[in-house]
Amino acid sequence: EQMLDVASNNIANVNTVGYKSSSAVFSSTLSQTIAGPSAPTATQGGTNGAQIGLGVQLGGTETNFAQGSAQATGRNSDLMIQGDGFFQVNDGGALAYTRAGSFTLDSAGNLALPNGALAQSSTGGNLDLSALNSGTYVSWSISSGGVVNAVDSAGVTTALGTVAMATFANPAGMSRTSGTEFLPTTNSGTAQVGVASTGGRGAITPGYLEMSN
C-alpha cells in the first residue's frame, strides 16, 4: 500500500514544474528461526539454519534528483537549472530550496513563484527588481549566470542583481516541505549559496522550465 501511495503521488505530479519523484525503500522485518545451524561431526555433515521472514516494512523513501525534461515557454522570467543546484526562495519568512523556476515579476519588483515564494539575491535578501517597474527600462533578461540585465531607451545595459543558487553535499538528505520545495537537514549539509555556473552549480536557462522527472 505504501509503495502504491508513493507511485500514485509521482503520477499525480507528472506535470508539476520542478517536481522530483520518490521511490519507496523496503527492509525486512524480524525472521523466525525454525532450525538452527549445526556443525559437522565425524559421522554427519553440517547443516544450515532455517529461517522464515515475517514480511517487510517501509525503510524509507528516496528522492530522485535527476534532471527533468525541458519545456520551452518563451517567458524571460521562467528559469530552468541545467545541472546541480536549487533556487533559494523566501517562503513566508523561511528560506527554502526548489528546482521549480516558474517565476513572475510582481508589482513590487519581486521574482515570485505561484505560491508567493520570493527569489533570493546572491548577496542576501529578496532579489529587488523594483527598478524594472519604474519606467526607466524598455527590456530585461536573465543570463545563464543568473544576472538580471535591464536595457534603457538609449541601449545602455544595467545589471540589477543576481539570482541566488545553492547546492548541498547530500541533496537526497533534504526534507520535502511541499511538492517542489525542500529544506536542509543535518544529513543534507548546509546550503552552499552562490551564483549559477560557479562552484559546481548548474547554469540557468531562461525561457524554459524543468518539468517532473
Side-chain angles (χ1 to χ4, degrees):
E1 179 183 352
Q2 292 161 326
M3 182 175 64
L4 291 176
D5 289 342
V6 173
S8 297
N9 190 54
N10 289 338
I11 294 170
N13 284 282
V14 68
N15 292 316
T16 300
V17 175
Y19 179 79
K20 295 304 174 185
S21 60
S22 298
S23 58
V25 179
F26 293 92
S27 60
S28 296
T29 57
L30 296 175
S31 297
Q32 180 180 3
T33 300
I34 303 302
S38 64
T41 67
T43 58
Q44 188 173 2
T47 60
N48 296 325
Q51 292 182 305
I52 299 176
L54 300 179
V56 297
Q57 61 184 356
L58 182 66
T61 57
E62 292 185 352
T63 303
N64 175 15
F65 282 103
Q67 185 84 35
S69 60
Q71 178 173 300
T73 67
R75 299 174 65 247
N76 58 354
S77 61
D78 283 337
L79 306 177
M80 181 183 76
I81 299 172
Q82 186 68 46
D84 293 337
F86 298 82
F87 297 112
Q88 186 184 54
V89 296
N90 181 339
D91 190 352
L95 292 178
Y97 302 86
T98 183
R99 296 278 298 189
S102 50
F103 295 101
T104 57
L105 182 68
D106 68 15
S107 60
N110 299 301
L111 275 185
L113 290 174
N115 67 350
L118 305 177
Q120 297 297 282
S121 168
S122 61
T123 58
N126 297 338
L127 181 62
D128 182 8
L129 302 179
S130 56
L132 294 176
N133 295 331
S134 66
T136 302
Y137 302 103
V138 295
S139 66
W140 62 281
S141 61
I142 300 177
S143 73
S144 61
V147 179
V148 182
N149 294 304
V151 181
D152 63 20
S153 58
V156 177
T157 300
T158 301
L160 300 181
T162 305
V163 176
M165 275 182 57
T167 54
F168 294 86
N170 176 29
M174 299 177 76
S175 172
R176 192 193 303 260
T177 61
S178 70
T180 60
E181 287 186 9
F182 297 84
L183 294 178
T185 68
T186 54
N187 194 36
S188 69
T190 58
Q192 303 301 307
V193 182
V195 299
S197 301
T198 66
R201 302 173 193 90
I204 289 177
T205 305
Y208 283 80
L209 292 173
E210 180 185 4
M211 303 305 293
S212 169
N213 63 359

